[in-house]
C-alpha cells in the first residue's frame, strides 16, 4: 500500500486548491488524507516516516495560539519530524508559519497586513517557486510574519514581510497563496470569516486583480506545485 499525502486544514474554506489539481495530474494513485486537528488536544497524527508528503494549509489563527487551538503543537511536532525525515513538506501562509516556528524561528504577531495581489522579490532559485518567474505577482492574505529558520534558505521577501518564502531541506514554506485559482478565491471572498474587517474597497480590488492576474499565474503555479507533488509521488 502506498504512503499517503497528508493535508492539514485549519478552516473549511482554505482547502488545497491547485495542490489537489497537481496531485491529480502528477501523483495518480497516491492517497490523499485531509484532516483538521487544530482543536484536538489529543491529536493523533501519523509518524512522518509513514507519509509520502505533508501539506499544511492556511487559517485565521496564529501559529502559537495553543490555548485556543490545542492541536497546533502536534502539527508543529509533525512538521519538525517530517523535515528531519526528509519528507516533502509544503506549508502555506499559516502552514508556513507553523513550519518556521517548528524549526526554531520567531513568530511576529501583527507584523504587517498584506491583502491582495502584489509582487514578491525572489531571492534564490527553487523548483516550487522558480516557475512563477522573477518578482511574480501573487496573492497575499496575512498579518503575522516569521523570522528565517536556522539553516534554511530565504527564497522570497517583500518590504513588509522579509520572509515570504523559504526552503529547509525537503520543506518549502510560502507565506503567499500559490494554491488559489478563481474558484477557490471566490469561495474565500464569499466567506464572512475572511472578509469581515476588510475594507470593501480592498475586497473589490482583489476581485478585479484576480481577473487580470490568475489566468497567467495559475499555469506557472501548477508547474511549481508539480515539482513538489512529483517528490511526493516518488516517496509514496
Amino acid at each position: 500500500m502506498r504512503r499517503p499525502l497528508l493535508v492539514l486544514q485549519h478552516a473549511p474554506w482554505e482547502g488545497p486548491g491547485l495542490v489537489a489539481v497537481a496531485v491529480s495530474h502528477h501523483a495518480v494513485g497516491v492517497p490523499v488524507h485531509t484532516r483538521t486537528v487544530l482543536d484536538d488536544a489529543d491529536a493523533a497524527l501519523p509518524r512522518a516516516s509513514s507519509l509520502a508528503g505533508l501539506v499544511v494549509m492556511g487559517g485565521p489563527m496564529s501559529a502559537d495560539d495553543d490555548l485556543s487551538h490545542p492541536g497546533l503543537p502536534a502539527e508543529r511536532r509533525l512538521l519538525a519530524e517530517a523535515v528531519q525525515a526528509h519528507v516533502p513538506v509544503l506549508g502555506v501562509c499559516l502552514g508556513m508559519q507553523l513550519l518556521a516556528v517548528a524549526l526554531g524561528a520567531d513568530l511576529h504577531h501583527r507584523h504587517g497586513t498584506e491583502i491582495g495581489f502584489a509582487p514578491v522579490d525572489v531571492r534564490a532559485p527553487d523548483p516550487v517557486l522558480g516557475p512563477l518567474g522573477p518578482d511574480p505577482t501573487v496573492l497575499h492574505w496575512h498579518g503575522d510574519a516569521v523570522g528565517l529558520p536556522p539553516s534554511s534558505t530565504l527564497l522570497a521577501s517583500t518590504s513588509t514581510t522579509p520572509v515570504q518564502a523559504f526552503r529547509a531541506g525537503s520543506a518549502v514554506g510560502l507565506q503567499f497563496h500559490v494554491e488559489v485559482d478563481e474558484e477557490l478565491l471566490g469561495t474565500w471572498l464569499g466567506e464572512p470569516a475572511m472578509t469581515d474587517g476588510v475594507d470593501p474597497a480592498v475586497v473589490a480590488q482583489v476581485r478585479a486583480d484576480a481577473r487580470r492576474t490568475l489566468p497567467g499565474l495559475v499555469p506557472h503555479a501548477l508547474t511549481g506545485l508539480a515539482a513538489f507533488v512529483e517528490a511526493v509521488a516518488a516517496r509514496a
Side-chain angles (χ1 to χ4, degrees), residues 115 141 189 194-196 198-209:
I115 297 177
W141 203 301
L189 297 182
M194 287 290 289
T195 57
D196 283 354
V198 179
D199 187 331
V202 172
V203 175
Q205 188 65 58
V206 170
R207 290 187 189 276
D209 289 345

Side-chain angles (χ1 to χ4, degrees), residues 93 97 112-115 140-145 160-161 164 175 177:
C93 200
Q97 295 166 7
T113 299
E114 291 181 292
I115 297 177
H140 305 262
W141 203 301
H142 72 99
D144 290 353
T160 299
T161 307
Q164 281 280 358
Q175 183 61 68
H177 293 274

Side-chain angles (χ1 to χ4, degrees), residues 12-29:
W13 57 87
E14 293 213 36
L18 293 178
V19 177
V21 176
V23 169
S24 70
H25 291 169
H26 300 281
V28 177

Side-chain angles (χ1 to χ4, degrees), residues 112-209:
T113 299
E114 291 181 292
I115 297 177
F117 287 89
V120 293
D121 178 13
V122 174
R123 299 298 188 90
D126 188 82
V128 174
L129 189 57
L132 300 179
D135 305 327
T137 295
V138 293
L139 178 62
H140 305 262
W141 203 301
H142 72 99
D144 290 353
V146 291
L148 186 65
S151 302
S152 62
T153 300
L154 179 66
L155 299 180
S157 65
T158 62
S159 58
T160 299
T161 307
V163 181
Q164 281 280 358
F166 69 87
R167 164 74 66 176
S170 60
V172 63
L174 305 176
Q175 183 61 68
F176 47 90
H177 293 274
V178 298
E179 82 282 11
V180 170
D181 58 10
E182 292 188 60
E183 181 180 1
L184 183 55
L185 182 58
T187 299
W188 285 17
L189 297 182
E191 173 54 54
M194 287 290 289
T195 57
D196 283 354
V198 179
D199 187 331
V202 172
V203 175
Q205 188 65 58
V206 170
R207 290 187 189 276
D209 289 345

Side-chain angles (χ1 to χ4, degrees), residues 8 28 32 43 73 75 89 103 120 135 153 177 219 229 234:
L8 295 178
V28 177
V32 179
E75 293 193 32
V89 174
L103 298 179
V120 293
D135 305 327
T153 300
H177 293 274
V229 167

